[in-house]
Amino acid sequence: TRPDNLRVFFNNSDERDRASVDLGRQFPDLTIQPLDVPDEDWVARSQASLRAVRVGNIIVAPPWDIPHTGKLTLDVGAESGGTPLTRPVVIVIRPSMGFGTAHHATTRLCLASLQHVDVRGHSALDIGTGSGVLAIAMSRLGAAPVMGIDDDPDALHAAEENLLLNRAADVTLRAGDVRAIALGTFNLVTA
């Protein structure tokens, strides 16, 4: 590539084509060559080396690092005032474009907080569900019904895939903006 060549990426071909026409009008001597490149899940590629994360008695693990549940011991200190557990809960999350592998502090703080509240039998809503990890955690801790909502189709796709990996969880997913949809009331909300 010569120093005077530029490569510019657009979200879709319509934006690219409009820019190409506008630049061609402003700079008639400019050579513009549209090129389609494959859309890769860069987030998943960057997260391919992630390992399981333990937050109290919840372990969030990628499919390649699922701990053997028979070797896990209960962290009794994490149970103060929360839903009583007989063994740690393992949640399998495939890293993807949906936020929520428990490597980020906000997810870990929500997971820790959920273990200090008895969620059994309480309705729960996860706003901006991303990977679905918090909705899955609420369901596995006994909340019901549980709904996850997100306005990002990629996030909802990731959450659907993660629900298949966590069949013990009972979560309804919904597409949309929470500000524009009547959802009813919930006892517990994570965001």
Side-chain angles (χ1 to χ4, degrees), residues 129-176:
T129 200
S131 69
V133 66
L134 296 177
I136 292 168
M138 289 187 284
S139 175
R140 293 289 309 279
L141 291 171
V146 177
M147 178 185 292
I149 185 168
D150 208 301
D151 62 357
D152 180 352
D154 290 329
L156 286 171
H157 179 72
E160 288 168 356
E161 288 183 344
N162 289 324
L163 280 170
L164 292 174
L165 296 172
N166 295 277
R167 295 192 184 272
D170 186 9
V171 176
T172 301
L173 295 175
R174 186 142 180 213

Side-chain angles (χ1 to χ4, degrees), residues 21-41:
V21 168
D22 289 345
L23 285 170
R25 285 184 189 141
Q26 290 182 8
F27 306 99
D29 295 334
L30 187 65
T31 302
I32 299 172
Q33 185 177 16
L35 174 68
D36 289 324
V37 294
D39 186 19
E40 293 188 42
D41 189 347

Side-chain angles (χ1 to χ4, degrees), residues 35-50:
L35 174 68
D36 289 324
V37 294
D39 186 19
E40 293 188 42
D41 189 347
W42 295 104
V43 175
R45 284 185 59 187
S46 69
Q47 294 177 345
S49 63
L50 293 179

Side-chain angles (χ1 to χ4, degrees), residues 16-150:
R16 178 200 62 206
D17 294 343
R18 274 195 303 276
S20 179
V21 168
D22 289 345
L23 285 170
R25 285 184 189 141
Q26 290 182 8
F27 306 99
D29 295 334
L30 187 65
T31 302
I32 299 172
Q33 185 177 16
L35 174 68
D36 289 324
V37 294
D39 186 19
E40 293 188 42
D41 189 347
W42 295 104
V43 175
R45 284 185 59 187
S46 69
Q47 294 177 345
S49 63
L50 293 179
R51 294 286 172 235
V53 172
R54 183 167 184 161
V55 179
N57 285 310
I58 296 176
I59 298 159
V60 180
W64 54 85
D65 193 32
I66 300 171
H68 186 281
T69 55
K71 295 181 179 180
L72 298 174
T73 59
L74 201 60
D75 178 359
V76 181
E79 287 301 308
S80 58
T83 302
L85 297 172
T86 56
R87 66 176 190 257
V89 173
V90 176
I91 300 172
V92 181
I93 298 293
R94 183 179 313 281
S96 68
M97 293 173 74
F99 182 81
T101 60
H103 285 81
H104 195 277
T106 57
T107 305
R108 286 194 310 270
L109 287 168
C110 285
L111 289 171
S113 295
L114 288 171
Q115 294 173 72
H116 291 283
V117 178
D118 189 352
V119 303
R120 293 175 294 175
H122 291 283
S123 60
L125 174 65
D126 182 22
I127 299 172
T129 200
S131 69
V133 66
L134 296 177
I136 292 168
M138 289 187 284
S139 175
R140 293 289 309 279
L141 291 171
V146 177
M147 178 185 292
I149 185 168
D150 208 301

Side-chain angles (χ1 to χ4, degrees), residues 1-10 33-38:
T1 308
R2 295 185 340 215
D4 58 346
N5 286 352
L6 294 175
R7 184 175 274 193
V8 180
F9 294 91
F10 293 88
Q33 185 177 16
L35 174 68
D36 289 324
V37 294

